Amino acid sequence: MTVLAPSRLEILVEEPSAEAALADLLPKIVPGFEYEVVSFHGKENLLRRLPIRLGDYARYWAMTGLRVVILLDRDDDDCVELKARIVEMAAAAGLPAHATLVRIVIEELEAWFLGDVPALHAAYPRVPASLGGQAKFRDPESVPGGAWEGLEHLLRKHGYHAKGLAKVRAARDIAPHMDVENNRSASFQAFRDGLRRLVKEGN
């Protein structure tokens, strides 16, 4: 079987806000790569449909240069068990490890935004540029109460998203300003570095 070098990415995400963020982030992380982001409108929906989807990819990934990325929030799951479950699905479908990437956002996508305070400040200027020095926000993946709630409280406190966090709008506001080389979120760093390794495989 002829295996083509990586040429296209298909990224499966659980919600439209991740799709919106990746529209700005992917060209910065892997410039020049063709990609498609597919949102499944819910984690359980994605997991339920994933085995069939992966089986479809297994039939043509080698001939097309396709690489598959699955990106999920940890939420209340054990991230090691969740990742292992998806890796097993991919293997059972016939997708080799070098053609797939599974990444778990710890704990939610909003941690990526909190990991880039300059981007937050650029999108929402009343958010203090010194935010990263505050104990509560020093580690974006350990914000008391959760990243989603922490970002919502922060933005409402400074006069934004008064009716509650509009996740897609926030993603579209913040992601264009993000510096992919300097994000304090460890899960963002793991996603960025894993994605770069994935597209280099076979080149």
Short mmCIF file of all heavy atoms in Angstrom, two decimals, residues 1 17 21 30 33-34 43 64 85 97-98 106 109 134 139 154 162 178 180 203:
data_model
loop_
_atom_site.label_atom_id
_atom_site.label_comp_id
_atom_site.label_asym_id
_atom_site.label_seq_id
_atom_site.Cartn_x
_atom_site.Cartn_y
_atom_site.Cartn_z
N MET A 1 0.84 -1.21 0.00
CA MET A 1 0.00 0.00 0.00
C MET A 1 0.88 1.25 0.00
O MET A 1 1.79 1.39 0.81
CB MET A 1 -0.90 0.02 1.24
CG MET A 1 -1.77 1.26 1.35
SD MET A 1 -2.90 1.21 2.77
CE MET A 1 -1.79 1.12 4.16
N SER A 17 -17.50 26.37 19.59
CA SER A 17 -16.49 27.33 20.05
C SER A 17 -15.08 26.83 19.73
O SER A 17 -14.19 27.62 19.38
CB SER A 17 -16.63 27.60 21.55
OG SER A 17 -16.47 26.41 22.31
N ALA A 21 -12.34 28.77 17.38
CA ALA A 21 -10.98 29.08 17.81
C ALA A 21 -9.95 28.50 16.85
O ALA A 21 -8.98 29.17 16.49
CB ALA A 21 -10.75 28.54 19.22
N VAL A 30 0.22 25.24 12.07
CA VAL A 30 0.70 24.45 10.91
C VAL A 30 0.36 25.22 9.63
O VAL A 30 -0.52 24.81 8.88
CB VAL A 30 0.11 23.03 10.91
CG1 VAL A 30 0.79 22.16 11.95
CG2 VAL A 30 -1.40 23.04 11.15
N PHE A 33 -1.20 24.09 5.71
CA PHE A 33 -1.87 22.79 5.64
C PHE A 33 -3.36 22.97 5.40
O PHE A 33 -4.02 23.80 6.02
CB PHE A 33 -1.65 21.99 6.93
CG PHE A 33 -0.57 20.97 6.79
CD1 PHE A 33 0.75 21.33 6.90
CD2 PHE A 33 -0.88 19.65 6.53
CE1 PHE A 33 1.76 20.39 6.75
CE2 PHE A 33 0.11 18.70 6.38
CZ PHE A 33 1.43 19.07 6.49
N GLU A 34 -3.86 22.15 4.49
CA GLU A 34 -5.31 22.11 4.26
C GLU A 34 -5.96 21.41 5.44
O GLU A 34 -5.44 20.40 5.95
CB GLU A 34 -5.61 21.33 2.97
CG GLU A 34 -7.10 21.21 2.66
CD GLU A 34 -7.35 20.34 1.44
OE1 GLU A 34 -6.38 20.01 0.72
OE2 GLU A 34 -8.53 19.98 1.23
N LYS A 43 -20.01 16.38 23.37
CA LYS A 43 -19.00 15.35 23.58
C LYS A 43 -19.56 13.95 23.40
O LYS A 43 -18.95 13.09 22.75
CB LYS A 43 -18.42 15.53 24.98
CG LYS A 43 -17.29 14.60 25.36
CD LYS A 43 -16.78 15.03 26.74
CE LYS A 43 -15.62 14.23 27.22
NZ LYS A 43 -15.13 14.74 28.53
N THR A 64 -4.71 9.45 0.60
CA THR A 64 -4.99 10.88 0.49
C THR A 64 -4.05 11.76 1.31
O THR A 64 -4.09 12.99 1.19
CB THR A 64 -6.43 11.18 0.94
OG1 THR A 64 -6.58 10.79 2.32
CG2 THR A 64 -7.45 10.42 0.09
N ARG A 85 -9.32 5.39 25.67
CA ARG A 85 -10.55 4.90 25.04
C ARG A 85 -10.59 5.28 23.56
O ARG A 85 -10.94 4.46 22.70
CB ARG A 85 -11.76 5.49 25.78
CG ARG A 85 -13.11 5.16 25.20
CD ARG A 85 -14.19 5.86 26.01
NE ARG A 85 -15.50 5.75 25.40
CZ ARG A 85 -16.56 6.45 25.78
NH1 ARG A 85 -16.46 7.30 26.80
NH2 ARG A 85 -17.73 6.31 25.18
N ALA A 97 -1.25 4.72 14.61
CA ALA A 97 -0.98 5.80 15.55
C ALA A 97 -0.36 7.02 14.87
O ALA A 97 -0.64 8.15 15.24
CB ALA A 97 -0.05 5.29 16.65
N HIS A 98 0.47 6.81 13.83
CA HIS A 98 1.12 7.95 13.20
C HIS A 98 0.18 8.74 12.29
O HIS A 98 0.57 9.78 11.75
CB HIS A 98 2.36 7.51 12.42
CG HIS A 98 2.07 6.60 11.26
ND1 HIS A 98 2.09 5.22 11.38
CD2 HIS A 98 1.75 6.87 9.97
CE1 HIS A 98 1.80 4.69 10.20
NE2 HIS A 98 1.59 5.67 9.34
N ILE A 106 -7.50 20.29 29.11
CA ILE A 106 -7.66 20.25 30.56
C ILE A 106 -7.91 21.66 31.05
O ILE A 106 -7.01 22.50 30.97
CB ILE A 106 -6.41 19.65 31.23
CG1 ILE A 106 -6.16 18.24 30.67
CG2 ILE A 106 -6.54 19.63 32.73
CD1 ILE A 106 -4.88 17.60 31.14
N LEU A 109 -11.84 24.30 26.94
CA LEU A 109 -11.21 25.18 25.95
C LEU A 109 -10.86 26.54 26.53
O LEU A 109 -9.86 27.15 26.16
CB LEU A 109 -12.15 25.34 24.75
CG LEU A 109 -11.62 26.21 23.60
CD1 LEU A 109 -10.48 25.50 22.88
CD2 LEU A 109 -12.75 26.52 22.63
N GLN A 134 -2.01 37.08 38.98
CA GLN A 134 -2.94 36.83 40.08
C GLN A 134 -2.96 35.34 40.40
O GLN A 134 -3.00 34.50 39.49
CB GLN A 134 -4.34 37.31 39.72
CG GLN A 134 -4.43 38.81 39.46
CD GLN A 134 -5.84 39.24 39.09
OE1 GLN A 134 -6.82 38.56 39.39
NE2 GLN A 134 -5.95 40.39 38.43
N ASP A 139 -2.26 29.42 37.01
CA ASP A 139 -2.31 28.17 36.25
C ASP A 139 -3.67 28.11 35.57
O ASP A 139 -4.69 27.88 36.23
CB ASP A 139 -2.13 26.97 37.18
CG ASP A 139 -2.17 25.64 36.43
OD1 ASP A 139 -2.45 25.64 35.21
OD2 ASP A 139 -1.92 24.60 37.06
N LEU A 154 -14.68 36.58 35.05
CA LEU A 154 -13.70 37.62 34.73
C LEU A 154 -14.27 38.62 33.72
O LEU A 154 -14.17 39.85 33.92
CB LEU A 154 -12.44 36.96 34.15
CG LEU A 154 -11.36 37.91 33.63
CD1 LEU A 154 -10.66 38.61 34.78
CD2 LEU A 154 -10.35 37.13 32.78
N ALA A 162 -22.33 40.37 29.49
CA ALA A 162 -23.18 40.64 30.66
C ALA A 162 -24.26 39.58 30.86
O ALA A 162 -24.69 39.34 31.99
CB ALA A 162 -23.81 42.02 30.53
N MET A 178 -4.18 35.37 19.71
CA MET A 178 -3.36 34.41 20.47
C MET A 178 -2.00 34.17 19.83
O MET A 178 -1.88 34.07 18.60
CB MET A 178 -4.12 33.10 20.65
CG MET A 178 -5.30 33.24 21.61
SD MET A 178 -6.31 31.73 21.76
CE MET A 178 -5.16 30.63 22.57
N VAL A 180 0.63 31.47 19.52
CA VAL A 180 0.66 30.02 19.74
C VAL A 180 2.00 29.54 20.32
O VAL A 180 2.09 28.40 20.80
CB VAL A 180 0.36 29.25 18.43
CG1 VAL A 180 -1.04 29.59 17.93
CG2 VAL A 180 1.42 29.50 17.36
N ASN A 203 7.27 13.27 6.05
CA ASN A 203 7.81 14.29 5.15
C ASN A 203 9.33 14.18 5.06
O ASN A 203 9.97 13.66 5.94
CB ASN A 203 7.44 15.70 5.67
CG ASN A 203 6.00 16.03 5.32
OD1 ASN A 203 5.41 15.42 4.45
ND2 ASN A 203 5.46 17.02 6.01
#
